[in-house]
Amino acid sequence: MKYSIKVLLISLLSFASFAQVKVDKTINPDKPKLVVGVVVDQMRYDYLTRFWNKYGNEGFKRLVNEGFNLKNNHFNYIPTYTAPGHASVFTGTTPENHGIISNSWYNKFEEQYIYCVTDENVQALGTIASAGKMSPNRLMATTIADENRLFTQMRGKTIGIALKDRGAILPAGHTANAAYWFHGQEEGKWISSTYYMQELPKWVKDFNISGTALSYMKPWDAIQDIETYLESGLDENLFEGGFSGKKTATFPYDLESLGKDNGNYDLLKITPYGNSLTADFAIAAIKGEELGKDEFTDFLTVSFSSTDYVGHNFGVNSKEIEDAYLRLDLDLAKLLSSLDTQVGKGNYTLFLTSDHGGGDVPTYLTSVKIPSGYFDDPEFDSKLKEFVFEKYKKENLIESISNYQVFFNYRTIEEAKIDRTAFENEIAHFILQYPKVNKVFTRSQLESGNYSEGISSLVQKGFNQKRSGDVIFVLDPAVISYTTTTGSTHGSGFSYDTHAPLIFFGKGIKHGSTAKKSEVVDIAPTISVLLGIAFPNSATGNPLVEVLEKN
């Protein structure tokens, strides 16, 4: 009798499992076996068009020609930094809701600056360095990968990969099986933390001892004839940083000899070889984790970080950035070929976007008579605090100034019996008169108003009531805060920082393009519809139904 009941239960469970899979496929026959979310760090939309004639046919061109290209895709909040960008793409919402308001920010509850993914409650895996003590503990929302894990009862895997820890961790979400990032310096290893597992898998250990990272410590020269790089500026100019140990920021760069003075393996990050290493590791992950091998959709998130490092060092108009994208094109072709082989053509869906754009170097813009400039943070901080003391004759009324935000010391303000709203307005008025400041917003305005367009809307969507400051200001177009007058940066709400590529490709995706405006928060809801799963829990974006074959 007991044996019969046991057999019956096993049969029922097997039937239920079979029925679930069968019904799921019937409801959503276009569900891919694997979703690959690719983020190219600091990729402006015009890198797609500017270098188009030099790309091969199997990378960017394949994605555009066989997929759906959204030509007018934008970030819809400020600040346009790496951590908020990755979080927004995969949660389908903005810092207002997911809470990642910058890469680092002042935490008024802890009274200290914090990094977006640090976690002292976890241990490093693959290194003893603190670089491994990371997790998504500060991310307040679920990602699309989280929702897929929940929908599949944790059967669908999620793996996150990037040179940058935040580029690996935030997209993969809270429930990821693993996130891996690169630790350079003397080690040159892919690492993780005990948030995900207690030991690195064998395939990761094997990759780390394979010598792949070491193989890229070689000369970096233009991959095509540099005389044909007419889409970028002169190789030698006054607007690029370069490397310690080399007098000019010009090709070629001997990484082996430059390594000692430039962080050893960390040097790879600032060259296109960092992206090649990332592609190699992602391909190893597809095989090692057997992604896309069963009926439950898996997720792979890959962020190519080196383009950001190259942009910061050499600028968006450099021959180095052009070469970085020509090489990334080959890395994408290699990744797509591997997906075709290991998962199968027509079995996976991929989207490619960026976490932010990037602006031209202000010194370059000035040289061609375009208004631009630099904002001196230390000088501004000093003058603002001097104004506050002269006005109120009280120290420590301002607790912190960072990320173009002013944080008040509420305790000191209360003790001094200062009206907080009046104080807000005084600070805002002073800042608005300050050179190179474009707009100013107070906490009262952002909490009580509802802005639907323009810079005001972007500021509000980036404003988190608990984590953000009390007065927020925006600089003039093409004005940046930077420690050097060479290289590019980002962070604003202007088009050079908000306009990012967005291409959908693969199973369930139409072929075509549009110039209709879309926003990065629309990506996750679109994938939700494709998979037939719940939207991320704080999503504010809308599905881009025009890209889907069936909707």
Side-chain angles (χ1 to χ4, degrees), residues 38-40 43 48 55 58-63 275-276 279 283 302 304 325-339 348 350-352 503:
V38 176
V39 175
V40 182
M43 184 175 181
L48 197 59
Y55 290 141
E58 302 302 319
F60 285 115
K61 283 186 176 179
R62 180 182 173 191
L63 294 179
N275 285 339
S276 299
I283 290 168
V302 183
F304 289 104
Y325 276 90
L326 299 185
R327 290 177 179 273
L328 176 60
D329 183 55
L330 298 177
D331 291 326
L332 287 172
K334 183 169 61 174
L335 177 60
L336 290 170
S337 176
S338 178
L339 288 166
Y348 64 92
L350 179 148
F351 67 82
L352 181 146
I503 308 167

Side-chain angles (χ1 to χ4, degrees), residues 88-396:
S88 298
V89 167
F90 287 88
T91 62
T93 192
T94 65
E96 177 184 15
N97 297 307
H98 62 60
I100 304 299
I101 62 172
S102 188
N103 294 335
S104 300
W105 64 87
Y106 182 74
N107 186 315
K108 51 197 168 190
F109 301 102
E110 299 178 29
E111 298 184 344
Q112 63 177 341
Y113 288 92
I114 58 171
Y115 180 57
C116 57
V117 291
T118 50
D119 189 345
E120 292 300 320
N121 295 316
V122 302
Q123 299 302 314
L125 289 179
T127 180
I128 60 172
S130 60
K133 301 187 73 169
M134 306 288 169
S135 84
N137 66 313
R138 300 189 192 277
L139 179 65
M140 297 167 61
T142 63
T143 67
I144 182 63
D146 284 325
E147 294 301 334
N148 183 65
R149 290 274 285 161
L150 293 171
F151 183 83
T152 61
Q153 301 301 312
M154 303 297 170
R155 295 183 181 94
K157 282 187 175 181
T158 298
I159 305 294
I161 293 169
L163 294 179
K164 294 181 181 180
D165 44 30
R166 56 190 181 271
I169 291 169
L170 296 172
H174 303 276
T175 61
N177 299 82
Y180 301 104
W181 51 99
F182 187 69
H183 180 53
Q185 299 179 19
E186 303 289 341
E187 298 185 54
K189 294 179 179 178
W190 291 90
I191 64 174
S192 190
S193 79
T194 54
Y195 177 87
Y196 303 99
M197 67 199 89
Q198 294 305 306
E199 185 179 3
L200 291 178
K202 183 178 182 301
W203 72 264
V204 177
K205 293 178 180 178
D206 289 344
F207 190 95
N208 281 337
I209 63 174
S210 68
T212 305
L214 179 61
S215 73
Y216 286 116
M217 295 295 288
K218 60 183 182 180
W220 169 28
D221 204 351
I223 197 169
Q224 297 183 24
D225 182 358
I226 197 168
E227 297 300 322
T228 69
Y229 284 20
L230 303 179
E231 299 78 11
S232 46
L234 296 174
D235 191 25
E236 185 170 0
N237 56 68
L238 301 175
F239 317 120
E240 301 176 12
F243 298 117
S244 297
K246 192 174 191 300
K247 290 183 179 180
T248 59
T250 55
F251 283 114
Y253 301 94
D254 184 357
L255 304 193
E256 185 177 9
S257 63
L258 290 171
K260 183 179 179 181
D261 295 327
N262 295 276
N264 294 301
Y265 283 106
D266 278 335
L267 179 59
L268 288 178
K269 299 177 183 179
I270 319 171
T271 77
Y273 297 142
N275 285 339
S276 299
L277 181 63
T278 302
D280 293 340
F281 190 73
I283 290 168
I286 295 167
K287 183 178 181 180
E289 296 290 343
E290 298 185 324
L291 299 179
K293 293 298 185 183
D294 59 27
E295 66 270 27
F296 300 104
T297 300
D298 296 323
F299 255 84
L300 174 65
T301 71
V302 183
S303 180
F304 289 104
S305 308
S306 288
T307 40
D308 183 67
Y309 289 112
V310 173
H312 279 294
N313 191 355
F314 297 97
V316 304
N317 196 47
S318 64
K319 293 204 184 302
E320 285 81 0
I321 203 73
E322 179 167 356
D323 194 70
Y325 276 90
L326 299 185
R327 290 177 179 273
L328 176 60
D329 183 55
L330 298 177
D331 291 326
L332 287 172
K334 183 169 61 174
L335 177 60
L336 290 170
S337 176
S338 178
L339 288 166
D340 290 343
T341 301
Q342 297 191 47
V343 183
K345 284 186 177 182
N347 287 330
Y348 64 92
T349 303
L350 179 148
F351 67 82
L352 181 146
T353 188
S354 180
D355 57 346
H356 51 73
D360 274 290
V361 181
T363 49
Y364 166 68
L365 292 179
T366 300
S367 75
V368 293
K369 302 179 181 179
I370 293 177
S372 60
Y374 292 89
F375 187 80
D376 189 326
D377 283 319
E379 182 180 50
F380 170 78
D381 294 1
S382 176
K383 288 187 178 298
L384 176 57
K385 289 176 180 177
E386 181 182 308
F387 163 76
V388 170
F389 182 76
E390 288 179 357
K391 177 78 176 178
Y392 294 97
K393 308 302 180 188
K394 184 77 175 177
E395 297 277 6
N396 301 321

